[in-house]
Amino acid sequence: MDRQRGRGERGRRVHLGRPDRLDGGTERRDGDGDRESRLRLRSAGGSAATVRHGTPKLCDPTVDFRGQVTDPGVLDTATGAGASMGVRVDTGARRLMLTFQADGVHAIRKGETAWSRVYASTAATRPTSWKVVTRGGGEARLYRNGTDTGAGWTVQDLAATPGVTHWVQGTAADPVESFVEWTRVTCS
């Protein structure tokens, strides 16, 4: 894992999944023998497995993270059950809601209450770096491994406590699991 990433930039790299700080973390060694940690999220009983990190009130956030869906679920677009690797960023005024599924990236757009696919891809089942940049008015743009995917939408207006959340929500019949290596949220 690139331990230098994020230095000199506004924002903070949130290490989720360190075994000494959160339950459910796993540890492994990279190719150089350095210890790495990552967050394991698994849900098989109908309730969500969630990790949240509070943040100060944000302006237009960029969320950048690396993760992999290892046991994808089928997303129920009305209820969110089957969310395989969910990401939520609350700014205090807006809410960015995404889930990364085996068939692509889904979001809840401004004015909607159900999930809709904003980007068709099978990349979520491989280790992938994702970034969503938001700008004034709540316009969001999705990047995969540093490349603009062309996917854009408007995020929801919602006054909620600022923070970033990763979650999965499986069922007994359709368990889900994902790993998150790192997350960084910056303010533009």
Side-chain angles (χ1 to χ4, degrees):
M1 188 173 353
D2 177 7
R3 300 198 190 285
Q4 300 299 312
R5 188 176 185 143
R7 288 194 179 173
E9 297 177 28
R10 277 180 38 185
R12 182 173 163 176
R13 188 170 184 175
V14 179
H15 287 278
L16 299 174
R18 288 183 44 180
D20 60 329
R21 293 171 66 184
L22 294 172
D23 290 334
T26 62
E27 187 175 323
R28 65 182 177 149
R29 303 267 177 194
D30 67 13
D32 298 326
D34 293 332
R35 187 179 87 177
E36 291 187 358
S37 59
R38 57 189 183 158
L39 175 67
R40 176 185 183 229
L41 293 166
R42 180 161 178 76
S43 172
S47 61
T50 304
V51 173
R52 185 174 192 286
H53 182 78
T55 63
K57 191 170 183 176
L58 297 170
C59 45
D60 295 322
T62 294
V63 62
D64 190 10
F65 77 99
R66 184 167 178 80
Q68 177 182 9
V69 175
T70 54
D71 190 356
V74 176
L75 181 65
D76 180 328
T77 58
T79 67
S84 298
M85 187 167 58
V87 179
R88 175 179 171 161
V89 179
D90 292 296
T91 69
R94 293 195 175 98
R95 176 176 73 175
L96 171 66
M97 291 277 288
L98 297 167
T99 184
F100 297 79
Q101 303 294 125
D103 69 342
V105 180
H106 298 251
I108 299 181
R109 303 173 198 230
K110 182 175 183 172
E112 297 180 5
T113 58
W115 294 94
S116 58
R117 189 168 60 189
V118 294
Y119 179 63
S121 172
T122 59
T125 57
R126 298 182 302 277
T128 305
S129 296
W130 298 97
K131 179 166 72 171
V132 179
V133 177
T134 64
R135 296 288 180 240
E139 297 303 314
R141 193 73 174 188
L142 178 68
Y143 296 79
R144 179 175 57 97
N145 293 328
T147 302
D148 187 342
T149 65
W153 66 98
T154 303
V155 302
Q156 298 174 310
D157 292 327
L158 182 72
T161 303
V164 59
T165 305
H166 286 284
W167 85 95
V168 297
Q169 186 174 355
T171 65
D174 190 15
V176 296
E177 178 181 70
S178 65
F179 288 89
V180 177
E181 292 182 30
W182 52 263
T183 298
R184 180 179 57 218
V185 177
T186 57
C187 194
S188 53

